[in-house]
């Protein structure tokens, strides 16, 4: 079964750091680009970051550029999101998502259950 | 990058058809055939129901269909069922390796 499992969320103070992870199983992790998408409480979805299959290229939304870093360990089938200088507006459920096809621009076909990150002020 | 514009809510009776619009710009929806739609039930992760404007993933009901004209994409749900009550989000590739989601639409089955 294709599965993504996020972990590492929690409560962090404003200005602090947190690293969330996403463990992949059931598919050839090294063949697919991966994305992070977040959803603030009661709000809509927001694309946060993406990384190519090899990990050689990374991309960010303007709202997190310079503060967040996406990475992956293809030997461990794991995706990461390092979040620094956290702000109250970063409070959200963070989902990892698999790209549906062979291209980075493809849709997100498999989603994890999400991990909650709460930034306290 | 501004969110794509969707109606906040759409409702219909069982068996009816409804349509949800998703309006972007010539930099996103209008420039790429890379619009996707996601269904999200309360407390659950989003589920892909349409990709590349009008293609359906395996296992998704044929009652869901997608289209695009200019800067506006649309999702149509035919033969509305109680289980279709959920939030729906469109998403478009926006160039420069970025993506933009829609504001979301709550579908209510009357």
């Amino acid at each position: 079964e294709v599965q993504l499992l996020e972990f590492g969320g929690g409560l962090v103070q404003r200005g602090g750091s947190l690293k969330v992870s996403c463990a992949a199983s059931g598919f050839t992790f090294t063949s697919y680009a991966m994305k992070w998408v977040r959803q603030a409480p009661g709000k809509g979805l927001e694309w946060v970051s993406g990384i190519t299959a090899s990990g050689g290229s990374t991309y960010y939304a303007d709202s997190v550029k310079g503060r967040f870093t996406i990475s992956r360990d293809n030997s461990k089938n794991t995706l990461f999101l390092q979040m620094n200088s956290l702000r109250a507006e970063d409070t959200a459920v963070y989902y990892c998502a698999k790209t549906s096809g062979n291209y980075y621009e493809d849709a997100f076909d498999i989603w994890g259950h999400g991990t909650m990150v709460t930034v306290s002020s | 990058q501004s969110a794509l514009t969707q109606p906040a809510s759409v409702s219909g009776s069982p068996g009816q058809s409804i349509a949800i619009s998703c309006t972007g710009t010539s930099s996103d929806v209008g420039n790429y055939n890379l619009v996707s739609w996601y269904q999200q039930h309360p407390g659950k992760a989003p589920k892909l129901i349409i990709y590349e404007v009008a293609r359906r993933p395996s296992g998704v009901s044929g009652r869901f269909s997608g289209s695009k004209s200019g800067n506006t994409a649309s999702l149509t749900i035919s033969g509305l069922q109680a289980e279709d009550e959920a939030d729906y989000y469109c998403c478009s590739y926006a160039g420069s390796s970025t993506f933009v989601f829609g504001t979301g639409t709550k579908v209510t089955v009357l």
Side-chain angles (χ1 to χ4, degrees), chain B residues 38-59:
Chain B
Y38 302 85
Q39 176 192 61
Q40 186 180 35
H41 287 106
K44 301 295 187 181
K47 174 189 175 184
L48 177 67
I49 56 174
I50 293 289
Y51 66 103
E52 293 176 7
V53 176
R55 302 182 70 175
R56 256 189 331 272
S58 174

Side-chain angles (χ1 to χ4, degrees), chain B residues 11-17 78-82 84 108-110:
Chain B
S11 61
S13 300
Q16 285 187 329
S17 293
S78 305
L80 199 62
Q81 299 181 359
D84 300 331
T108 301
V109 181
L110 301 172

Side-chain angles (χ1 to χ4, degrees), chain A residues 65-76:
Chain A
K65 198 173 295 183
R67 301 187 299 122
F68 289 13
T69 301
I70 190 172
S71 61
R72 62 193 295 164
D73 184 339
N74 281 349
S75 69
K76 296 183 178 179

